Amino acid sequence: MVSDVHGNARDLARAGDGADALICLGDLVLFLDYADHSRGIFPDLFGVENADRIVELRTARRFEEARAFGARLWAGIGQDRAAVIEKAVRRQYAELFAAFPTPTYATYGNVDIPRLWPEYAGRGTTVLDGDRVEIGGRVFGFVGGGLRTPMRTPYEISDEEYAAKIEAVGEVDVLCTHIPPEVPELVYDTVARRFERGSRALLDAIRRTRPRYALFGHVHQPLVRRMRIGATECVNVGHFAATGTPWALEW
């Protein structure tokens, strides 16, 4: 089980070793590495110094200033922003999807671009979002993407749309999402020093349907990685880009 891969194709290729299946909870794309500002699409285009600056602004929650700064940088390259980003994302997806073992079950993160996935997902990769699947005799439900934030990442959706996908999944043994339930200890990032967005609908579903596990990622350095909500073990499966280590679910 991995989440927040963010360009780590090398370790992804080994993540499924010895497992019946690999589950990926999204965020394959690396736009900007907050731990190493030299990595990602942004520094490739604009350099490390500008990456330092935009991280500084975002960490200080000065989002309007960050957007204005970014807009000035994009205006300076004289190319269509969407086309440039898509070209870079395609390069990353080609490498990352090729690294997935068979079988892989995957859902989208908030920085992913879902419309591109069908071009890269091979026969051994099953993409699920608001869907259920049986793996090893247990029912797994998958809900991808994130909720809307000032960051305006590519796959952010409304609370209503997200809740509808949670409802469509229904009762499962293992509930797999990119973002955590809305619990302060699970959504607070101790390095970024901010609360990320979690889902109230997800929290309500966990309390109502009582899956054995609720698994997620999104928050790279959470205050708490694991906690129990009623009968459900809630686990942040980790920031795979940094650790290169998958989290193992064993029955």
Side-chain angles (χ1 to χ4, degrees), residues 61-78:
R61 304 187 65 81
R62 293 156 61 184
F63 296 115
E64 290 301 328
E65 290 180 63
R67 274 193 288 273
F69 178 67
R72 291 194 298 273
L73 294 175
W74 281 105
I77 69 169

Side-chain angles (χ1 to χ4, degrees), residues 84-102:
V84 170
I85 291 176
E86 182 170 318
K87 183 178 179 180
V89 169
R90 284 181 177 277
R91 284 196 299 269
Q92 292 187 11
Y93 277 166
E95 183 179 16
L96 291 160
F97 276 93
F100 277 144
T102 297

Side-chain angles (χ1 to χ4, degrees), residues 25 107-109 128-131 140-146 155 157 161-170 175-179 199 202 215-216:
L25 302 184
T107 195
Y108 316 111
L128 304 120
D129 187 18
D131 304 296
F140 287 67
F142 291 79
V143 175
Y155 191 40
I157 60 177
E161 185 178 354
Y162 194 90
K165 291 195 295 183
I166 292 289
E167 185 68 23
V169 165
L175 186 51
C176 301
T177 60
H178 177 67
I179 63 174
S199 169
L202 173 58
L215 308 175
F216 48 86

Side-chain angles (χ1 to χ4, degrees), residues 161-245:
E161 185 178 354
Y162 194 90
K165 291 195 295 183
I166 292 289
E167 185 68 23
V169 165
E171 294 187 14
V172 294
D173 298 305
V174 184
L175 186 51
C176 301
T177 60
H178 177 67
I179 63 174
E182 192 179 78
V183 177
E185 295 90 339
L186 297 176
V187 300
Y188 185 74
D189 191 303
T190 60
V191 174
R193 300 192 303 278
R194 66 169 179 256
F195 290 96
E196 303 289 355
R197 282 214 67 188
S199 169
R200 170 60 62 174
L202 173 58
L203 177 59
D204 291 345
I206 290 169
R207 288 170 169 162
R208 184 177 69 254
T209 66
R210 298 164 62 87
R212 182 170 178 179
Y213 289 96
L215 308 175
F216 48 86
H218 187 57
V219 182
H220 294 175
Q221 298 91 13
L223 186 63
V224 173
R225 291 195 175 276
R226 189 168 187 152
M227 70 184 301
R228 182 167 289 275
I229 298 176
T232 302
E233 191 71 18
C234 299
V235 183
N236 183 319
V237 303
H239 180 200
F240 186 75
T243 67
T245 303

